[in-house]
Amino acid sequence: MPLVGIDLLFQVLFAMHAIRTGRDRYWVYLILMLPGIGCLIYFLAEILPELIHGPGKKAHKRVKKALDPGKEYRDAKYALETTPTIASRLNLAQICMARGDYDEVIAVLEPALTGQFSQ
C-alpha cells in the first residue's frame, strides 16, 4: 500500500513539473495514464538531459577553467595558426580582450585590415 502512495506522489510532482515548465500536455496525460512507467519515461526524456546539460556542465567548465586558465587562449592561438580566418582572429581577439591584453588584440586584428577595410 505505501508504494501506491509514493507512485501517486511522483505522478503529481512530475505532472506539476511538466505544467510549470511549459512542457507539452501529452506529458501530463502520459504521466497520469501510465503510473510508474510514465514518470520514468518523463524523467529519462525531459529531466535527466536537463540535469546533464544544465548546471552540471557549467560547473564542469568552471572547474576545467580553474585548473587550466590558459587553455582557451592556447586553443584559439593554435586555431589561428592552423587556419588564419577572420573567425579565428575574432575568437582570439575576444579572448585577449577578456584577459586585458589589448596590445595582442591589435596585433591579431591588424592583418585582417586589408582591401576595403584598410585605411
Side-chain angles (χ1 to χ4, degrees), residues 12-102:
V12 170
L13 290 175
F14 281 131
M16 284 175 42
H17 182 270
I19 291 169
R20 287 187 180 173
T21 56
R23 305 282 202 254
D24 290 328
R25 293 284 176 186
Y26 70 83
W27 282 116
V28 176
Y29 299 132
L30 181 78
I31 291 167
L32 296 177
M33 296 296 174
L34 299 172
I37 193 77
C39 291
L40 180 67
I41 292 170
Y42 180 74
F43 179 79
L44 293 175
E46 294 288 331
I47 296 175
L48 189 62
E50 208 174 274
L51 291 174
I52 291 172
H53 296 294
K57 191 151 190 140
K58 290 177 186 173
H60 185 259
K61 283 184 181 179
R62 283 193 304 259
V63 168
K64 281 178 66 174
K65 190 170 186 174
L67 292 175
D68 189 8
K71 183 177 184 340
E72 186 180 26
Y73 171 75
R74 287 192 311 270
D75 290 344
K77 192 154 181 98
Y78 178 74
L80 179 62
E81 290 170 0
T82 56
T83 54
T85 62
I86 297 296
S88 60
R89 285 187 188 283
L90 288 175
N91 185 28
L92 181 59
Q94 287 174 345
I95 292 169
C96 291
M97 286 284 288
R99 294 176 63 188
D101 192 1
Y102 304 113

